Amino acid sequence: AETAYRRVLAQLPGHAGALRNLGVLALQTGHAGPALELFDAALGRSPGDAALHGQRGDALLALGRLPEAIAALREATRFAPGDAVLWN
């Protein structure tokens, strides 16, 4: 999957979906720092994406940056107040 997302980025630099998916892969494999960078880049293209703010919060939490993680998760719920996943 990573290769496919990188191909997308080669053709469409800054593609928010590919950046997000690479961030998810990075986070799942224990690379929270690079994941955060990828989520931040994706948010630059899609700033109102609640799920991205939530994933950014997850990366910050994994890095032990609790106050920033809380702020990111609050931002996520601001964009999608009815999304139960973001409240868990």
Side-chain angles (χ1 to χ4, degrees), residues 29-81:
T29 56
H31 303 284
L36 179 59
E37 292 174 12
L38 289 158
F39 294 143
D40 283 342
L43 280 166
R45 302 292 243 168
S46 187
D49 187 318
L52 267 172
H53 285 281
Q55 290 162 325
R56 182 176 189 273
D58 291 340
L60 287 162
L61 189 59
L63 291 168
R65 294 164 57 180
L66 186 58
E68 292 171 271
I70 290 169
L73 294 168
R74 283 189 177 140
E75 189 72 359
T77 60
R78 185 174 75 83
F79 286 110

Side-chain angles (χ1 to χ4, degrees), residues 2-33:
E2 181 179 354
T3 302
Y5 300 138
R6 294 206 182 277
R7 272 193 233 137
V8 170
L9 289 174
Q11 297 295 315
L12 302 167
H15 186 277
L19 290 166
R20 171 208 314 269
N21 291 337
L22 283 172
V24 169
L25 288 174
L27 191 56
Q28 289 175 341
T29 56
H31 303 284

